[in-house]
Every structure is written in C-alpha cells, then in structure tokens.
Amino acid sequence: MNVTHILWDFNGTLYDDVPLALFCMNTLLARRNLPQLADADAYRAIFGFPVRDYYVRAGIDFTRESFDTVGQEWFALYTAHMRKAPLRAGVRDAVSAFSRAGLAQAVLSASQSDTLREQLAFLGLSGSFHEVLSLDGIYAESKEHLAHAWRERHPDARAVLIGDTAHDAAVARAAGLGCILVEGGHQSADTLRRCGVPVAADIPDAAARILKGELIR
C-alpha cells in the first residue's frame, strides 16, 4: 500500500493519557465509595466504546445518577490535570518522518474540539497536521461519521489510521481506511490482536512499518 495520508488517533496514540484516565476514573470511584481499578492493565481490560458501557463496567450506577453528570465530573478532572500528560515516545520523530516522506497528516479524535486544540498547542503539535477532526461534545462518542466525511473529501487517498483501540479499527474498516494499532494505549494488546489489523509494539514500530510499505488495506 503506497500511503498518501496518515490519520492519527489522539488519546492513547499521540497523547500518553492512560495514567490520567485511570486517575480520573479512580477519583470518580473513590468519591462514590466504590472499588478502584488496580492499575493501567485493569483499566485497559475494561475500557472501550461506547464510554457509557465502560463506566458501567467500572462500577458506576446510572440508575442513581445521570451519565451527563458523571461525564461532566470526569471531564472537569481530566482538563484540570491534562497538562501533566506527555506525548507518547517516538511521536515527534514519527510525525517528522511522515512529513519528510511527503505524507499529509490529520488527527481523527473523539475528543472535544476546543480541548483537543488546546492539547495540541501545549504539546507543540499545532502546526503538524493538515486537518484536526474532532467532536463538539465531551462524551467521547463514535468518530465514525468524522472518518466517513474525511473519506468523502479525499476519495482517492490511500490512508492509514494509527490508533490504540478496537474502535479505531472499526472506524477505519467502515470508512475504507488502512489501520495499524499500537500497544500501550487504552486497550490491552490481546484486545487489539483480535481486531484483524496489524498491531505494532510502539509508535516507532508503527511508523517504520508504514514507511516500509508493509501495510495493505
């Protein structure tokens, strides 16, 4: 596959926010006197989309309070601490390598638009992408419609989505994109390997495989 475009997922792929997400969920659980998640592996074992179902698996009871209330509480915690989370290792080199290879790059994220642009700014990535595609709300709903809209604007593009969840693989498949998933993000390696797409050990591995032309849609 001679790639022309790279679409990057943000959370867990470009941005190493798994510890932050774990902290936010454990804070919510502690405030409700519920058992907390033991570590990042326990978090990865239950995380998924839709996020409402993930909250339920974590122990949140939506018969007692609304999803909107809990989501806003989580979002307030997340944004208050988000500057503490870094880029994933190898991201800057990968973005630079794709740029030198002449590949157009975009971010495709379920994040809230204003928050995402703020994050890209403090991470020093604001000028690195041709497009930043994200959602208006704070509840991390599906980004599949964003991928379809992107594909309609770029019907001839040979694109690969780099992500870290089964949702990324499903979005790529639905929109006719290639996909490679990266371990160490928001879902376990076992979950990723069941998605039927290539799985890389880390960002440098994913970038190298794309640049070598190993991915075939």
Side-chain angles (χ1 to χ4, degrees):
M1 177 179 180
N2 296 317
V3 177
T4 59
H5 291 71
I6 302 294
L7 278 68
W8 289 93
D9 169 61
F10 183 71
N11 301 90
T13 304
L14 287 169
Y15 185 50
D16 189 8
D17 66 343
V18 171
L20 174 57
L22 174 62
F23 162 78
C24 293
M25 179 53 73
N26 276 343
T27 301
L28 296 186
L29 295 173
R31 289 174 177 176
R32 291 158 177 79
N33 296 314
L34 294 168
Q36 297 183 40
L37 301 173
D39 54 25
D41 287 339
Y43 165 82
R44 292 183 178 105
I46 65 168
F47 180 79
F49 291 86
V51 293
R52 180 189 179 102
D53 294 346
Y54 151 61
Y55 279 34
V56 171
R57 289 191 292 271
I60 301 295
D61 184 355
F62 289 124
T63 66
R64 294 178 175 271
E65 56 188 330
S66 72
F67 176 58
D68 284 353
T69 297
V70 178
Q72 289 171 15
E73 184 180 351
W74 186 95
F75 185 71
L77 277 168
Y78 183 90
T79 53
H81 295 275
M82 64 186 183
R83 288 179 178 266
K84 300 175 184 177
L87 288 174
R88 284 196 60 168
V91 162
R92 294 192 195 281
D93 287 345
V95 169
S96 295
F98 290 143
S99 180
R100 290 194 301 273
L103 307 184
Q105 298 179 74
V107 176
L108 176 66
S109 174
S111 293
Q112 195 271 344
S113 295
D114 291 343
T115 302
L116 176 59
R117 291 184 183 278
E118 181 181 351
Q119 290 169 311
L120 291 172
F122 70 68
L123 292 167
L125 290 178
S126 291
S128 300
F129 304 102
H130 294 81
E131 297 176 86
V132 177
L133 314 170
S134 53
L135 303 178
D136 293 329
I138 67 172
Y139 302 113
E141 298 167 344
S142 175
K143 58 190 177 186
E144 183 175 324
H145 68 288
L146 297 175
H148 281 293
W150 185 91
R151 171 51 84 190
E152 289 178 1
R153 294 194 302 275
H154 304 277
D156 299 324
R158 297 184 297 277
V160 171
L161 171 60
I162 306 174
D164 70 311
T165 68
H167 181 60
D168 291 313
V171 165
R173 188 173 295 110
L177 310 172
C179 183
I180 185 166
L181 300 177
V182 183
E183 295 179 20
H186 285 270
Q187 288 191 306
S188 69
D190 287 343
T191 298
L192 303 186
R193 293 189 186 107
R194 292 194 293 269
C195 293
V197 301
V199 177
D202 51 27
I203 295 295
D205 181 28
R209 292 168 70 174
I210 292 169
L211 291 169
K212 290 177 182 176
E214 294 182 9
L215 301 187
I216 300 174
R217 189 175 72 231

